[in-house]
Amino acid sequence: MTDVPAHPFPYPFAEGKTALVVIDMQRDFIEHGGFGESLGNDVDRLAAIVPTVVDLLTLFREKGWPIVHTRECHLPDLSDCPPAKRDRGNPSLRIGEEGPMGRLLVRGSPGADFVPACAANPGEIVIDKPGKGMFWNTPVHQMLQQRGITHLVFAGVTTEVCVQTSMREANDRGFVCLLIEDATESYFAEFKAAAIRMITAQGAIVGWSTPFATFANAVR
């Protein structure tokens, strides 16, 4: 075990039993013309974390530690996208409709794929998830168990939605979770700050958080 300085107290990093989870670094959420922008959001906020996510990926790749990438996307017939999800709000385009990067959040569409800088390398786990959490209707829990993974380091977007949901799901399943603060982002600064406080409150009730530089210095 390596103690990583973190909030609310040092995170017990377990080399050989830890995987990086990069949540939904997709063009539809991060680039102009995608689903995130169709909701009226400033996608440049999310694009700003790409270099830090790349540094985090590079660190795990150099160490040979496992990496999981998730994509929120749906089957072409939208059979896994309930109306309770698709009909929310008043976006200029809804899930499944044709946008500048193909059908929004549909598997196989260019917009549903990763931003190029954060693309998965051969051998890394890629999970297409129909929900906000990484475990709902996916095989990722079994895949992590088969690899002996007990600890997860999280990055990606958005902090208060898919990242926090996945961390809460992971916590319920017994994984020990750390969020890299500058490798995650929200369209709303106050939502990110609140999500991190909720995750780390009450003695790391969901998990820990720390900046990338602090994590990298500790595990190197």
Side-chain angles (χ1 to χ4, degrees):
M1 288 286 187
T2 298
D3 283 341
V4 175
H7 186 74
F9 51 85
Y11 173 77
F13 179 82
E15 184 169 352
K17 295 184 177 181
T18 301
L20 171 62
V21 179
V22 181
I23 300 287
D24 299 358
M25 292 296 289
Q26 297 164 249
R27 298 181 66 197
D28 263 334
F29 295 129
I30 295 169
E31 294 185 6
H32 293 279
F35 182 64
E37 193 169 64
S38 81
L39 295 169
N41 296 309
D42 177 9
V43 296
D44 291 337
R45 288 187 53 82
L46 270 56
I49 69 165
V50 168
T52 307
V53 175
V54 169
D55 289 343
L56 187 56
L57 284 165
T58 299
L59 171 60
F60 269 73
R61 287 165 178 163
E62 288 175 349
K63 293 287 190 178
W65 296 334
I67 298 173
V68 178
H69 304 258
T70 74
R71 294 182 291 211
E72 183 180 351
C73 53
H74 296 279
L75 298 171
D77 65 1
L78 301 185
S79 59
D80 59 352
C81 183
K85 178 179 183 179
R86 188 169 187 265
D87 295 341
R88 290 290 176 87
N90 187 30
S92 59
L93 291 169
R94 294 192 182 277
I95 295 171
E97 293 183 355
E98 197 70 34
M101 295 182 286
R103 296 180 65 201
L104 272 65
L105 294 185
V106 169
R107 292 188 193 182
S109 294
D113 207 355
F114 305 113
V115 295
C118 299
N121 278 0
E124 296 172 357
I125 298 170
V126 176
I127 297 294
D128 288 324
K129 60 183 182 68
K132 297 173 177 64
M134 64 186 279
F135 292 92
W136 163 244
N137 204 22
T138 79
V140 71
H141 191 188
Q142 292 81 5
M143 297 172 80
L144 293 170
Q145 284 184 318
Q146 289 167 1
R147 290 162 173 78
I149 299 300
T150 57
H151 290 55
L152 299 174
V153 174
F154 280 86
V157 300
T158 60
T159 313
E160 79 280 8
V161 184
C162 294
V163 175
Q164 182 177 201
T165 301
S166 296
M167 287 189 73
R168 289 179 180 276
E169 288 183 335
N171 174 260
D172 282 346
R173 287 162 173 79
F175 294 98
V176 184
C177 301
L178 172 69
L179 177 62
I180 304 301
E181 297 166 356
D182 45 349
T184 184
E185 192 53 85
S186 169
Y187 299 118
F188 310 96
E190 65 272 25
F191 290 1
K192 173 182 176 177
I196 292 175
R197 288 199 300 271
M198 287 187 282
I199 287 165
T200 60
Q202 301 176 79
I205 192 168
V206 175
W208 289 253
S209 74
T210 199
F212 170 72
T214 301
F215 173 75
N217 289 337
V219 301
R220 280 180 171 140

